[in-house]
Amino acid sequence: MGITVSNTKRPEPQALASTLEALAARFGNRLITSQAVRDQHAHTTTWLPRSRRMQW
Amino acid sequence: MAQETADIQDAVRICARYRVPVIAFGTGTSLEGQVNAPAGGVCIDLRDMNKVLEVHAEDLDCVIQPGITRKALNEYLRDQGVFFPIDPGADASLGGMASTRASGTNAVRYGTMRDNVLALKVVRGDGEIITTGTRAKKSSAGYDLTHLFVGAEGTLGIICELTVKLRGIPEVIAAAACSFETVRGACQATILAIQTGIPLARIELLNAAQVRACNAYSKLSLPETPLLLLEFHGSENEVAEQSRNFSEIAKECGGGEFSWTTRPEDRNKLWQARHDGYWAVKALRPGAGVVATDVCVPISRLADCVTETEADLERLNLQSPIVGHVGDGNFHCSLLCDVDDADEMARGEDFMHRLVQRAQGMGGTCTGEHGIGQGKQKYLEPELGSQAIDAMRAVKQAFDPQNIFNPGKILPAL
């Protein structure tokens, strides 16, 4: 159908930096980037590794 | 940390501007990697959006925010004589439950999230809000967007409000237990009970290995053979009649002693043991990981599927107690594996692959309630065909052309 979904491409570092800057301006200290909170949100009840990109 | 819908809208607009992935997070209790971030990105935690906005007890519905958990919702509703029936075990958020099309032990009577969501509000990729329905019990108005978003795993937009159905709290609740010599006998009793119209509220199968685990963990003394746990809802007379009718069916199917009770403490003990099933399994082999997976087959094939699965476990020298929402033909394997043991993990992967193929070969599905997430993407096409996958890709493209919503989930990468 001509539709492609390259669905695990990471954003460019500059895009991420700009996003974080805009989110910080909008949300102040409700934007959390600490490793501990990021780990907490990556630690779920799935057995699949958090960094897993592809299925078997 | 979103606190209101406008927060989600603004966060999505910012992420869309820079094409950065955005992943909604409820309680993190999904099982197939649904909230993993394989491409990084921004996680929107919805736990503070946990308000009940409206309750319409006379219409048996309510309007809620996505971060409220099912236990919190039922606490809120209790004094109004109504409850929300879907119980996936974990105290999951309602937004997450809708997104994974969750169900659980009550589905045989009350259905799944598919049957209990009336309408949604969803933030789309440009930050605008889609309203998918109303509080009306039925509607013929256009495409059914509600059920497109239910089960979409956050890949099409972010749910910011739900209207869900409620039920009256039953006058009497009875719990019952009945052991069987074989899984087939337990399944046959279930089929007959459903065919004869006994309105079972819950009917759960534990295989012998799971009963052993529950006995050890919850200090029970149940016979270590296949077991059915049941729940009946209704008036005192209705519950007594349902219990009596089921006990006669169980006897015909090789069931042992049938015991039932309406005492809350006895009921809770049985169901707590069932809900602690995961921890009971984990305690069988301290230090091992529990790999949870589920499949669902037509109920007439459940006994075959469970029996063949047990034989496969034996052949592969793997340990995995089995519990099933037997009224729906849905069962779970809790595979105990040393995740650092490559050989055991390989055998575990082989087992799960064969489990899915077995279920699909019996006219069933690769997942009854856990969802596709990352773990089961490769099984979609064998189950539904390439044309269906093309249609799903077209839907994804239409709602999320930049592919920012929870990328890497449901649809296999091309």
Side-chain angles (χ1 to χ4, degrees):
Chain A
M1 297 180 70
I3 296 165
T4 57
V5 182
S6 65
N7 51 6
T8 53
K9 187 166 176 270
R10 298 185 81 84
E12 297 297 327
Q14 185 53 50
L16 205 50
S18 301
T19 302
L20 290 175
E21 192 181 336
L23 289 170
R26 165 65 174 81
F27 293 104
N29 63 7
R30 284 197 286 141
L31 172 70
I32 301 170
T33 57
S34 72
Q35 193 60 48
V37 172
R38 288 158 64 191
D39 284 347
Q40 181 204 343
H41 285 77
H43 186 77
T44 69
T45 47
T46 185
W47 63 276
L48 292 159
R50 67 186 73 167
S51 59
R52 190 178 179 116
R53 283 166 175 263
M54 302 292 288
Q55 79 281 13
W56 294 325
Chain B
M1 302 284 183
Q3 290 172 347
E4 56 187 354
T5 294
D7 292 343
I8 303 176
Q9 292 176 280
D10 288 348
V12 166
R13 285 187 180 116
I14 290 167
C15 289
R17 190 185 314 152
Y18 298 106
R19 302 182 74 135
V20 166
V22 54
I23 300 162
F25 187 97
T27 57
T29 50
S30 58
L31 291 163
E32 290 292 350
Q34 278 92 345
V35 293
N36 279 358
V42 172
C43 172
I44 300 184
D45 189 324
L46 297 163
R47 71 181 171 197
D48 289 344
M49 286 187 64
N50 58 359
K51 313 278 184 309
V52 177
L53 302 173
E54 300 167 23
V55 176
H56 307 276
E58 66 280 19
D59 293 323
L60 290 174
D61 71 58
C62 69
V63 183
I64 53 178
Q65 292 185 321
I68 192 167
T69 67
R70 65 176 184 86
K71 285 184 181 173
L73 176 59
N74 279 326
E75 283 285 318
Y76 186 95
L77 295 170
R78 184 174 299 157
D79 65 355
Q80 302 187 56
V82 291
F83 78 114
F84 181 72
I86 309 304
D87 169 12
D91 189 20
S93 69
L94 269 288
M97 286 169 63
S99 290
T100 51
R101 206 183 296 132
S103 51
T105 59
N106 279 325
V108 65
R109 171 127 180 198
Y110 298 107
T112 72
M113 286 302 283
R114 181 185 64 182
D115 307 299
N116 286 279
V117 177
L118 283 169
L120 296 168
K121 288 189 177 174
V122 182
V123 175
R124 65 183 192 187
D126 61 359
E128 296 301 307
I129 293 172
I130 299 172
T131 298
T132 69
T134 69
R135 291 200 301 113
K137 284 286 181 275
K138 61 183 189 179
S139 169
S140 299
Y143 294 129
D144 187 348
L145 296 179
T146 303
H147 291 98
L148 185 56
F149 285 104
V150 172
E153 300 185 1
T155 61
L156 302 179
I158 296 182
I159 296 171
C160 58
E161 190 179 295
L162 304 91
T163 302
V164 296
K165 293 182 188 174
L166 304 175
R167 313 299 167 116
I169 295 175
E171 183 188 336
V172 175
I173 299 174
C178 186
S179 296
F180 288 79
E181 287 172 21
T182 61
V183 164
R184 191 166 299 282
C187 291
Q188 192 58 33
T190 306
I191 291 170
L192 283 175
I194 290 171
Q195 280 179 342
T196 53
I198 298 177
L200 305 160
R202 288 172 162 164
I203 182 160
E204 294 285 296
L205 171 71
L206 286 69
N207 78 342
Q210 183 69 52
V211 175
R212 268 194 294 281
C214 287
N215 274 347
Y217 185 81
S218 300
K219 299 183 176 37
L220 300 175
S221 53
L222 295 161
E224 295 185 348
T225 62
L227 175 78
L228 286 182
L229 290 180
L230 302 101
E231 193 166 277
F232 304 106
H233 293 177
S235 67
E236 206 165 314
N237 286 342
E238 286 167 343
V239 161
E241 187 185 358
Q242 291 168 32
S243 301
R244 193 168 51 245
N245 290 344
F246 186 83
S247 82
E248 285 167 13
I249 288 172
K251 213 178 295 174
E252 282 176 33
C253 298
E257 188 189 344
F258 177 84
S259 57
W260 69 284
T261 177
T262 57
R263 280 163 43 102
E265 54 271 37
D266 294 338
R267 279 196 288 117
N268 291 342
K269 193 175 175 191
L270 272 182
W271 285 108
Q272 193 58 50
R274 165 64 186 88
H275 282 316
D276 287 342
Y278 173 88
W279 302 109
V281 170
K282 209 164 168 50
L284 288 174
R285 188 173 159 192
V290 178
V291 178
T293 191
D294 84 312
V295 293
C296 189
V297 293
I299 189 172
S300 63
R301 302 304 311 274
L302 183 65
D304 293 333
C305 202
V306 172
T307 305
E308 288 179 27
T309 300
E310 288 181 321
D312 216 30
L313 286 166
E314 180 126 9
R315 188 184 68 80
L316 290 164
N317 191 26
L318 291 166
Q319 191 177 15
S320 172
I322 293 173
V323 295
H325 308 312
V326 65
D328 309 318
N330 181 203
F331 68 96
H332 302 260
C333 293
S334 305
L335 195 59
L336 282 162
C337 278
D338 177 352
V339 293
D340 297 321
D341 180 338
D343 173 63
E344 190 171 44
M345 286 303 285
R347 280 182 285 129
E349 292 183 12
D350 183 33
F351 165 76
M352 287 196 282
H353 184 66
R354 291 164 56 81
L355 173 65
V356 168
Q357 285 189 319
R358 185 176 307 119
Q360 289 177 331
M362 292 180 175
T365 176
C366 62
T367 174
E369 57 185 21
H370 291 182
I372 294 293
Q374 295 175 291
K376 288 192 166 166
Q377 293 174 8
K378 69 178 177 182
Y379 301 120
L380 262 184
E381 186 166 330
E383 185 163 314
L384 300 172
S386 62
Q387 295 83 357
I389 307 306
D390 286 346
M392 289 188 195
R393 289 193 196 284
V395 169
K396 172 73 171 169
Q397 179 78 9
F399 280 92
D400 183 24
Q402 295 198 95
N403 192 29
I404 61 166
F405 287 122
N406 207 8
K409 313 297 163 61
I410 297 184
L411 291 168
L414 287 173

